[in-house]
Amino acid sequence: MQPNPRLNIRQVTWANPVGADLRAAQQAELDTRFGNSEHEPGPAPSEADTAVFVVAYEKCSGQPLGCGGLRILDAETAEIKRLYVVPYARGSGVASSILAALEAQAHSYGFSVITAEAGSAQSDGRSFYESAGFAAVPNFGPYVGVSHSQCYSKPIDSRSASHTAMA
């Protein structure tokens, strides 16, 4: 679970205060991007439906740089939720490292597919998922009929999970 030698990626509980602060920062940024706080269709992720939540820390300073989680959709499918990197660390591989850790964890939990969603105000998120091998799919679950949402999916197995970790 350590694809980036500059980072410590730790699995934490949903209630972890550092993770909670990062999720709050992400939601505040999305509120600004979308111009309101009504940008998430369906229920927000919670400890009850989140199989894994990780926080990425910079090794040399111990500073938290990002987070991400896996929401359980069904026995085979998990959704990437709250993937976030603090603005000053973007473009440095933190998001890719978090995604690699989440893919490896998804595989270890027995999931065969991971999904993601990015809104219209998240062109960076859309590009990120596409470059990570996700394919655009019809909107699923709470995103069905939501014009500002774009959904993605990626099959995972031991080969794909390890390939993402090495990228």
Side-chain angles (χ1 to χ4, degrees), residues 47-139:
E47 186 165 6
D49 67 6
T50 303
V52 174
F53 192 75
V54 299
V55 173
Y57 295 87
E58 184 177 46
K59 276 188 180 177
C60 66
S61 70
Q63 286 294 112
L65 299 178
C67 64
L70 292 173
R71 173 187 252 171
I72 303 166
L73 297 183
D74 60 42
E76 291 84 34
T77 312
E79 180 185 7
I80 303 292
K81 293 301 288 182
R82 302 301 190 256
L83 182 56
Y84 176 73
V85 175
V86 296
Y88 69 87
R90 293 180 186 161
S92 66
V94 175
S96 295
S97 295
I98 293 169
L99 180 60
L102 291 173
E103 286 189 29
Q105 287 294 311
H107 177 68
S108 74
Y109 274 71
F111 296 114
S112 58
V113 176
I114 52 174
T115 61
E117 182 269 347
S120 59
Q122 297 170 286
S123 60
D124 50 347
R126 291 175 179 211
S127 296
F128 173 73
Y129 287 123
E130 290 167 6
S131 69
F134 284 72
V137 297
N139 286 4

Side-chain angles (χ1 to χ4, degrees), residues 22-34 36 39 84:
L22 289 166
R23 291 192 310 273
Q26 181 215 31
Q27 291 303 292
E29 181 176 324
L30 291 176
D31 291 353
T32 300
R33 285 186 183 201
F34 282 95
N36 63 63
H39 46 77
Y84 176 73

